[in-house]
Amino acid sequence: MEEVVEGQSGGRRARGGGGAARRAERTAVKQEFTRFITRNIPNFDVLTEEALQIIEHNAETVLEEIGVNFVENPAALQRWRDVGADVQGERVRIPRGLARKLCATAPAQFTQHARNPERNVEIGGKNLVLAPVYGPPFVRTASGGRRYATIADFRNFVKLGQMSKWVHHSGGTVCEPTDVAVNKRHLDMLHAHMTLSDKPYMGSVTERSRCVDSVEMSKILFGADFVDQNTVMTSLVNINSPLTFDPIMMDALEVYAAANQACIISPFIVGGAMAPVSVAGTLTQVLAEVLAGVAYSQMIRPGAPVIFGAFVTSIDMNSGAPTFGTPEAAQITLGAGQLARRLGLPYRSAGAFCGSKLPDAQAAYETANSLNIGLLSGVNFMLHACGWLEGGLVSSYEKYVMDADQLGILHRLAAGIDMSENGQGMDAIREVGPGGHYLGCAHTQANFKSAFWKTDLLDYKPFETWEEEGARDTVALAARRVEKMLGDYQPPALDPAVGEALAEYVAKKKAAEPDAFM
Amino acid sequence: MEEVVEGQSGGRRARGGGGAARRAERTAVKQEFTRFITRNIPNFDVLTEEALQIIEHNAETVLEEIGVNFVENPAALQRWRDVGADVQGERVRIPRGLARKLCATAPAQFTQHARNPERNVEIGGKNLVLAPVYGPPFVRTASGGRRYATIADFRNFVKLGQMSKWVHHSGGTVCEPTDVAVNKRHLDMLHAHMTLSDKPYMGSVTERSRCVDSVEMSKILFGADFVDQNTVMTSLVNINSPLTFDPIMMDALEVYAAANQACIISPFIVGGAMAPVSVAGTLTQVLAEVLAGVAYSQMIRPGAPVIFGAFVTSIDMNSGAPTFGTPEAAQITLGAGQLARRLGLPYRSAGAFCGSKLPDAQAAYETANSLNIGLLSGVNFMLHACGWLEGGLVSSYEKYVMDADQLGILHRLAAGIDMSENGQGMDAIREVGPGGHYLGCAHTQANFKSAFWKTDLLDYKPFETWEEEGARDTVALAARRVEKMLGDYQPPALDPAVGEALAEYVAKKKAAEPDAFM
C-alpha cells in the first residue's frame, strides 16, 4: 500500500480578504504527500531475449559503423579519442562494446535530495518518481482558453505540484514564463521551485551559465558542502536525434556531471522523422544514442548519476504531427525499459501524453494509455506525468489536476495484491454467505476506508444529483479543484536567511546583464 | 500485424434522395473488417504462484464449507447430489476438487460461427474477441441527451457494430429496446443481429422460452443441422453473487449447454457489496462461483463451451456507486485471468467501463485503464468493449465510435514488435545517419502506410487549423462519425428465403401472446 501522510509542510500565514468561514475552511486544509512509488509488481516485458540481443547488437553496429556526432565540442572529441574511439571531423565511431563498458560506472539507483528530507526521492530500482509537465510555451485554462505562459502561471503550477499528493517532484520548466527575458527566466523558475515547493526540482539546461546558476542557487538552498556531496537536481539533457549531441546540451551534461548532479540523457524522437518508422529500428537508435551519451557522462565524472531517457512519439503521416498514446509509442516505451534494465540504469519515459487541444476524451484516452504503459514499463522517473496538453505545447491547469488524480491509480496498481489473512477475506465470505451482502460485515467495516483508491476529482454521484448540480463534465470539476488548490496553498517553511540569499542572488544576476528575448 | 481487409459484405442498394455526388461517395464506401486479435505478446501476471495457490485453496474451502445456492431448481440439486455434493435445502456444498474435476471437460477454446464465415471467431487461447456494450436501458446522443432506448436505437447500434472494423462481434442487448414488450423484444433484437449484421451474436437469457427462440431462430439462419453441430451463440449467464445461482440464469445455461451453445458464466460483482472489500477475497469468491457454474454446465452436457467470466467493479464508499477504471478492478481482472488460464478456460472480463455520465475525460481515463488491462489480462472475450457509459446505464452513440477507434490500439499492441530485417530498420539508420531525417528515406517510403496505427476519429491537426474548423472536441468529432457511419451503412446480403422465414417466425411468436411490460 502506498503511504499517504497528511502533513503540514509550512507555517500557515494569515491572509487578508476572507471572511471567518473562509478562514476556518483554510485552517482545516491539510497538505497530503505520498512517498514515491516502489513497485511490488513485475514489469511487462514485451521483447524476448533474442529480440533484445538483436537490438543490442544492432545498436553497437550503429555506434561502430555509423557513429554519432558531437557538434562544436572539440573537448568532447578529444575525450572520445582518449578512450579509443575513431574520431573523424565531428563524427565519433565507437568500437563495439566500448560505450557499454564506459556506462558501467553509472549508478543503478541514486537519491535526489529535496530541501525537505521527507520529499527525497530514490531514482532507479523498483521505484517510480512522478514529475509534472516540462516545457510548454502556452497555458490553457477552462475559463480563459489558450495563451502564452507567464511567470505567474509558472508559480501557479509549482503550487499545484506542491499541493498534489501523488506528485513527488516539482519538475523543471512546468511552463515557459515567456514574459521574463530568456536569459533570466531560469532564475525566476529556480527561485519558484526553491521557495514555493519543498519537493525536489530540476536545473536549467539552456546555457552553460544557467546550469552554473542552478548549481549556485542550490548551494544557497542546501549548503555548498551538501551539494558537493549529494545529488539535489535531476536535469533534462535531450539528444538531438538522430545520433547528434549538440553543444548546449553537452554543456549542461558536462556542468551537471562534474558537479555530481543527475541528468536524464534522452533521445527526443518523433518516430518516422528522427528515427526509423519501425519500433525495433527506433529502439536500436535510442539505445545507441543513450549508450554514447551515458558513456560520455562517465568520462566527465565516473559515477555521475544519469538516467536512460526515451521520449518517443509516432508521427501522423497525413499531417506530420506527433501523436501520443499510440501502440507504437507503447511498444517503444516497454522495449526501452527492458534495454535500460539490462544496462543497469534508471529509466525515464512515458507521461500524461496527448495530442488533443482540449482536456477532453481524446486527451484522456491518450494519457491513460501512456500512464498505464509507463507503470508497466518499469519507468523510474516519469516527467510530464501531469498537465501535458496539445503535444507538449500547452500546460493545462485543468489537465494537471485531472492527470494528478489518475496518478493515484498507479500507486495502487504498483502496490500489488494484499495476500495477508485480512486481504484473503475468508472471514467475510464465511460471515456473509450465499445471497447476503458485504456492506455491513465486519471485514468491510474494518477495511473500507483504505480498501479502494479514492478519486479527489471524478464524479460518482447518481445521475439525478449530478444533473441537479449542473451536469458538470470533468473539465468543470477540474477547474473548481484548481481554484480550491491554489486558494488552499500555503508555502512550505523556509529559513528567512536562505530566502533572502536566494532573492539577492537572483536580483544580482538579473542586474548584471540586459534582458534578451532570443 | 493485424489483418485489415477492405471488403464489401453485402449488395449495394440504390437509395432515393441523394444527388449524384452523394451517390458517388456512397459507392466508394468500403466496409472494413478485422480478424479477432491473436496475441503475440505475453500476458501480465500480477499474482505469484504462491498467491494463486492460496486463492485456489480458499475457493475450494468456500465450495466445501460454505457452498453455493441453486435457487428454485430441484433438478439442479439432484444433479449435484448425483455427482457427490452435499445438498441441504438449496445449499450445495462441493467436496474439495470435485468442481475443478468436472470443469475439465469444458473446451479451452471454441469457434463461434457467424453467418459470414469470414467473421467466425475463435474464443480462447491467445485470442481476444471484442463485442459491444450489453444491457443499458438508456441511450445518450450528443444532440439529444439521455433518454430511454428504443428498438430504432438498437438497430442503429447493430449497424455501428457492423461498420466498426475493430469490433468482431455484434453482441447481444446493445441497448434495451424499451418500446417493445418485454416478452417480445428478444425477437426483435435477434432479428436485428441476424439481418443487419453478419458478425456473430449473443442469445437471449431472460427466460427459458426466449433461449429456445434464440436457438430456433439460429436454426433458421444457419440451418438446423449446422446449429446442432456448431456453436453459433455465446450468451451471458450472470451469477447472482455472492454464491447464488438463480433459476432464470440456470434456465439459460441449461438450454444453451444442452444445445452445445456457449455461455459466459460470470459473477457480477461490485466489490464491497457482492464480494469482500479486498482483491484477494473477491478473486476467491469469483473462482468459487465460476467453478460451481462451469461444473454445472458440464453436468448438463460434458464438453459444452463455456467462458470463465468476471465482471468486477469496486464501490465508492461515499455514495455506494459502482466505480470503473480503478486499480482494484484492474488487479481483479489481471488475477482472474491467471485463474482462468490455470483452469484451462476461455476468459471474459474488462470492457470500455466508466462511471461518467458524459463521454468526457473521466469516461476516457476510466475506459482506457480498463481496455489496457483487459488486453494484458489475457481476456479472450471482451463484452462492453465499446459504447458503455454511466456505469452501464447508458449506451452512448458517440462513445461507441470513440471506444471502437481505441480498440485498434489493442490490435497493434497485441501484434508485438516486428523483429524482421525490415522491422530492424538498419538500412534506414545507415541511409539517414547523424543529423538527418527519416521522412524521405527508402525505408520510410516503403513502410509508412502500415507503420503506425491510424485513428479514424481523433484530431491531430495543427492548432490553427483545428480552431478554424470549429475547435471541435472528441464528442463533436464522434457525432459526425456516427452520422457518417449510419449514412454509409449497407446491410450484408442475406438469402431472401431466410429473411422471410425469420420475419415469419418473429411475427408468429409475437402474435401468439399479448404484450407484457413486466
Side-chain angles (χ1 to χ4, degrees):
Chain A
M1 291 292 112
E2 76 284 355
E3 300 168 44
V4 180
V5 183
E6 292 187 350
Q8 183 61 35
S9 66
R12 288 180 186 122
R13 295 184 182 179
R15 298 193 214 176
R22 178 96 180 110
R23 271 196 299 277
E25 189 193 11
R26 191 177 290 146
T27 308
V29 167
K30 286 175 194 152
Q31 190 174 293
E32 294 177 303
F33 57 95
T34 312
R35 192 175 167 275
F36 55 87
I37 293 172
T38 300
R39 287 180 180 79
N40 193 29
I41 58 172
N43 298 306
F44 183 68
D45 291 339
V46 72
L47 290 169
T48 63
E49 174 67 26
E50 188 195 354
L52 289 162
Q53 287 180 11
I54 290 170
I55 290 168
E56 287 174 343
H57 177 87
N58 287 350
E60 295 285 356
T61 302
V62 168
L63 292 175
E64 183 169 60
E65 294 181 13
I66 303 167
V68 297
N69 281 359
F70 275 74
V71 178
E72 297 170 25
N73 195 337
L77 299 173
Q78 189 55 49
R79 287 191 182 97
W80 277 112
R81 270 189 214 98
D82 292 345
V83 295
D86 168 26
V87 179
Q88 299 183 17
E90 294 188 322
R91 183 72 62 94
V92 178
R93 290 187 176 80
I94 306 169
R96 187 171 293 275
L98 174 60
R100 184 169 285 264
K101 197 176 135 204
L102 288 164
C103 290
T105 53
Q109 183 173 325
F110 63 90
T111 305
Q112 182 186 352
H113 293 265
R115 70 172 169 98
N116 177 350
E118 289 181 358
R119 313 294 178 100
N120 290 358
V121 292
E122 288 291 319
I123 299 176
K126 290 181 170 294
N127 305 315
L128 171 55
V129 173
L130 301 167
V133 62
Y134 186 107
F138 298 100
V139 296
R140 176 178 279 280
T141 66
S143 54
R146 183 188 193 257
R147 57 174 170 73
Y148 275 103
T150 65
I151 188 67
D153 292 311
F154 189 97
R155 291 182 184 129
N156 281 337
F157 280 106
V158 173
K159 291 175 182 177
L160 288 178
Q162 177 70 1
M163 294 291 286
S164 296
K165 69 180 172 192
W166 308 114
V167 177
H168 314 119
H169 201 284
S170 195
T173 310
V174 288
C175 62
E176 274 287 345
T178 61
D179 55 341
V180 181
V182 167
N183 59 335
K184 299 178 182 177
R185 63 177 65 150
H186 67 289
L187 298 164
D188 285 348
M189 291 195 277
L190 284 160
H191 186 261
H193 283 302
M194 290 176 176
T195 59
L196 301 178
S197 173
D198 62 359
K199 295 182 181 181
Y201 58 87
M202 305 173 78
S204 175
V205 294
T206 54
E207 218 248 328
R208 180 176 283 265
S209 70
R210 298 171 199 158
C211 307
V212 174
D213 283 337
S214 304
V215 175
E216 291 304 313
M217 288 178 70
S218 294
K219 286 181 177 171
I220 296 172
L221 187 66
F222 286 90
D225 286 353
F226 191 89
V227 172
D228 282 342
Q229 289 157 31
N230 295 285
T231 297
V232 301
M233 281 181 286
T234 296
S235 304
L236 180 61
V237 169
N238 281 326
I239 296 170
N240 199 349
S241 302
L243 302 169
T244 303
F245 293 79
D246 76 39
I248 290 173
M249 285 292 143
M250 288 305 99
D251 274 355
L253 179 59
E254 290 165 16
V255 170
Y256 287 127
N260 204 29
Q261 299 305 310
C263 285
I264 305 164
I265 299 179
S266 201
F268 181 92
I269 289 177
V270 179
M274 291 90 136
V277 79
S278 64
V279 168
T282 298
L283 284 169
T284 300
Q285 185 182 306
V286 164
L287 180 58
E289 292 175 347
V290 171
L291 281 168
V294 171
Y296 186 66
S297 75
Q298 301 302 301
M299 289 184 231
I300 303 295
R301 174 165 170 162
V306 285
I307 299 175
F308 182 131
F311 177 91
V312 277
T313 77
S314 40
I315 194 170
D316 173 36
M317 284 294 177
N318 291 326
S319 65
T323 54
F324 297 90
T326 65
E328 294 78 23
Q331 289 170 332
I332 294 167
T333 305
L334 289 163
Q338 292 181 263
L339 295 169
R341 287 192 287 283
R342 285 162 70 97
L343 201 47
L345 291 176
Y347 176 45
R348 170 261 163 144
S349 198
F353 294 141
C354 63
S356 188
K357 282 77 171 174
L358 297 170
D360 60 358
Q362 175 177 344
Y365 282 124
E366 293 172 332
T367 293
N369 288 345
S370 186
L371 291 179
N372 280 290
I373 291 297
L375 175 68
L376 300 179
S377 296
V379 168
N380 300 116
F381 188 84
M382 192 190 288
L383 195 58
H384 311 300
C386 55
W388 169 290
L389 192 67
E390 201 188 316
L393 286 174
V394 173
S395 292
S396 160
Y397 278 80
E398 284 78 19
K399 187 154 180 288
Y400 192 106
V401 302
M402 289 156 59
D403 294 338
D405 187 60
Q406 289 288 303
L407 298 180
I409 294 177
L410 303 191
H411 286 71
R412 275 299 180 118
L413 274 177
I417 295 173
D418 174 13
M419 290 300 302
S420 68
E421 202 167 316
N422 181 60
Q424 292 177 44
M426 287 295 281
D427 287 348
I429 303 178
R430 284 197 181 92
E431 180 182 340
V432 172
H437 74 79
Y438 288 82
L439 288 172
C441 81
H443 183 260
T444 302
Q445 292 298 318
N447 291 282
F448 79 93
K449 278 189 186 162
S450 62
F452 300 134
W453 166 73
K454 275 193 203 67
T455 181
D456 289 314
L457 176 73
L458 304 179
D459 184 279
Y460 296 150
K461 291 175 181 148
F463 176 78
E464 291 71 17
T465 313
W466 168 82
E467 200 173 37
E468 279 166 20
E469 292 182 0
R472 284 177 294 213
D473 69 3
T474 320
V475 175
L477 295 171
R480 198 180 52 165
R481 183 164 165 78
V482 167
E483 191 181 10
K484 173 157 175 54
M485 288 173 81
L486 292 178
D488 286 347
Y489 169 82
Q490 291 164 351
L494 181 66
D495 177 346
V498 170
E500 280 163 32
L502 284 171
E504 196 180 323
Y505 185 93
V506 169
K508 200 179 89 185
K509 295 295 277 191
K510 280 189 166 183
E513 56 179 303
D515 286 358
F517 273 92
M518 283 280 293
Chain B
M1 292 294 111
E2 75 284 357
E3 300 168 45
V4 181
V5 183
E6 293 186 351
Q8 183 60 37
S9 67
R12 287 179 186 124
R13 295 184 181 180
R15 298 196 214 173
R22 177 94 181 113
R23 272 195 299 277
E25 189 194 11
R26 189 177 292 146
T27 308
V29 168
K30 285 173 193 152
Q31 190 175 295
E32 295 177 304
F33 56 94
T34 313
R35 192 176 166 277
F36 56 87
I37 292 171
T38 301
R39 288 180 179 79
N40 193 30
I41 58 173
N43 298 309
F44 183 68
D45 290 338
V46 73
L47 290 170
T48 62
E49 174 67 26
E50 189 196 353
L52 289 162
Q53 287 180 10
I54 290 171
I55 291 168
E56 288 174 344
H57 177 86
N58 287 350
E60 295 284 355
T61 302
V62 169
L63 292 176
E64 185 169 58
E65 294 181 13
I66 304 168
V68 297
N69 282 359
F70 275 74
V71 178
E72 296 169 28
N73 195 337
L77 298 173
Q78 188 56 49
R79 288 190 183 98
W80 277 112
R81 270 188 212 99
D82 292 346
V83 295
D86 168 26
V87 179
Q88 298 183 18
E90 294 187 324
R91 183 74 60 95
V92 178
R93 291 187 175 81
I94 306 169
R96 187 170 292 275
L98 174 60
R100 185 169 287 263
K101 196 176 137 206
L102 288 165
C103 290
T105 52
Q109 182 173 327
F110 63 90
T111 305
Q112 184 186 349
H113 293 267
R115 69 174 169 98
N116 177 348
E118 291 179 358
R119 312 293 176 101
N120 290 358
V121 292
E122 289 291 320
I123 299 176
K126 290 179 170 293
N127 305 314
L128 171 55
V129 173
L130 301 167
V133 62
Y134 186 107
F138 297 100
V139 296
R140 177 179 277 280
T141 67
S143 55
R146 182 189 196 256
R147 57 174 170 73
Y148 275 104
T150 66
I151 188 68
D153 292 311
F154 189 98
R155 291 181 183 128
N156 281 336
F157 280 106
V158 173
K159 291 176 181 176
L160 288 178
Q162 176 71 1
M163 294 291 285
S164 297
K165 70 181 171 191
W166 308 114
V167 176
H168 314 120
H169 201 284
S170 196
T173 310
V174 289
C175 61
E176 273 288 347
T178 60
D179 56 339
V180 181
V182 168
N183 59 335
K184 299 178 182 179
R185 63 177 64 149
H186 67 288
L187 298 163
D188 284 349
M189 292 195 277
L190 283 161
H191 187 262
H193 283 301
M194 291 177 174
T195 59
L196 302 177
S197 173
D198 62 359
K199 296 183 180 179
Y201 59 85
M202 303 172 78
S204 175
V205 294
T206 53
E207 218 248 327
R208 181 176 282 263
S209 71
R210 299 171 199 157
C211 307
V212 174
D213 282 337
S214 304
V215 175
E216 290 305 311
M217 288 177 72
S218 294
K219 286 181 177 172
I220 297 172
L221 186 67
F222 287 91
D225 286 352
F226 191 88
V227 172
D228 282 341
Q229 289 156 32
N230 295 284
T231 298
V232 301
M233 281 181 285
T234 296
S235 304
L236 179 61
V237 170
N238 281 326
I239 297 170
N240 199 350
S241 302
L243 302 170
T244 303
F245 294 79
D246 76 40
I248 290 174
M249 286 292 144
M250 288 305 99
D251 273 356
L253 178 60
E254 289 165 17
V255 171
Y256 287 127
N260 203 30
Q261 300 303 310
C263 285
I264 306 165
I265 298 179
S266 203
F268 182 92
I269 288 179
V270 178
M274 291 90 135
V277 79
S278 64
V279 169
T282 299
L283 284 168
T284 300
Q285 185 181 308
V286 164
L287 179 57
E289 291 175 347
V290 171
L291 280 168
V294 171
Y296 185 66
S297 76
Q298 301 303 301
M299 289 184 231
I300 302 295
R301 175 167 169 161
V306 284
I307 299 175
F308 182 133
F311 177 92
V312 276
T313 78
S314 39
I315 195 170
D316 173 36
M317 284 293 176
N318 291 326
S319 65
T323 55
F324 298 90
T326 64
E328 294 77 24
Q331 290 170 332
I332 294 167
T333 306
L334 290 163
Q338 291 180 263
L339 295 169
R341 287 191 288 283
R342 285 161 70 97
L343 199 47
L345 291 176
Y347 176 45
R348 169 263 163 143
S349 196
F353 293 140
C354 62
S356 187
K357 281 76 169 175
L358 298 170
D360 60 358
Q362 174 176 344
Y365 282 123
E366 292 171 331
T367 293
N369 289 345
S370 184
L371 291 178
N372 280 288
I373 291 297
L375 176 68
L376 300 180
S377 298
V379 168
N380 299 116
F381 188 85
M382 193 191 288
L383 195 58
H384 311 300
C386 54
W388 170 289
L389 192 67
E390 202 188 315
L393 285 174
V394 173
S395 292
S396 159
Y397 278 81
E398 284 78 18
K399 186 153 182 287
Y400 192 108
V401 302
M402 290 156 59
D403 294 339
D405 188 60
Q406 289 288 304
L407 297 181
I409 293 178
L410 303 191
H411 285 72
R412 275 298 179 117
L413 275 177
I417 295 173
D418 174 13
M419 290 301 302
S420 70
E421 202 167 318
N422 181 59
Q424 291 177 45
M426 287 296 282
D427 288 349
I429 303 177
R430 285 197 180 90
E431 180 183 339
V432 171
H437 74 78
Y438 287 83
L439 288 172
C441 81
H443 183 260
T444 302
Q445 293 296 318
N447 290 283
F448 80 92
K449 278 188 185 162
S450 62
F452 300 134
W453 166 74
K454 276 193 201 68
T455 180
D456 289 315
L457 176 72
L458 303 179
D459 184 281
Y460 296 151
K461 291 175 181 150
F463 176 78
E464 292 73 16
T465 314
W466 168 81
E467 201 172 37
E468 279 165 21
E469 291 181 0
R472 284 178 293 215
D473 69 3
T474 320
V475 175
L477 295 171
R480 196 180 53 164
R481 183 162 165 78
V482 167
E483 191 181 13
K484 174 156 172 54
M485 289 172 81
L486 292 179
D488 286 349
Y489 169 82
Q490 291 165 350
L494 181 67
D495 178 346
V498 171
E500 280 163 35
L502 284 171
E504 197 178 323
Y505 186 93
V506 170
K508 200 180 87 186
K509 294 297 278 191
K510 281 188 166 184
E513 54 180 303
D515 286 359
F517 274 91
M518 282 281 290

